Amino acid sequence: SWTANQDKILALHYLNDGGVNLLDPVFRKEVHARKARFLTGYKGKIYYFCSVCSKKLFEEHPEKYIKIK
């Protein structure tokens, strides 16, 4: 089922600059923000992925793939 968190992720996605190329945090491949089919939110930030496999790996262990500030 669709959640309020998914609504927030989707809203933030559409606010992102459509011309931006971002880096998939798992496979380190460039992903075009507007064309990305796989995305998820974590700690208030949206992460874009090149594949469903990459997204699932990230969701299982997000801290492994992001730099902690």
Side-chain angles (χ1 to χ4, degrees):
S1 68
W2 196 259
T3 67
N5 190 45
Q6 288 169 309
D7 283 338
K8 182 179 176 183
I9 291 169
L10 190 59
L12 289 171
H13 169 69
Y14 283 109
L15 291 174
N16 191 359
D17 180 358
V20 173
N21 283 332
L22 303 165
L23 200 60
D24 175 320
V26 176
F27 295 133
R28 313 301 290 168
K29 291 184 177 182
E30 278 194 4
V31 179
H32 191 278
R34 190 64 73 184
K35 296 178 183 175
R37 293 184 356 192
F38 310 103
L39 58 136
T40 195
Y42 181 71
K43 291 190 175 183
K45 185 174 178 183
I46 298 178
Y47 293 90
Y48 297 82
F49 305 93
C50 62
S51 68
V52 69
C53 176
S54 179
K55 179 181 181 248
K56 285 181 181 181
L57 286 169
F58 179 86
E59 289 175 337
E60 289 172 3
H61 305 286
E63 299 295 328
K64 178 178 177 180
Y65 300 105
I66 60 173
K67 293 180 181 177
I68 309 297
K69 294 183 180 179

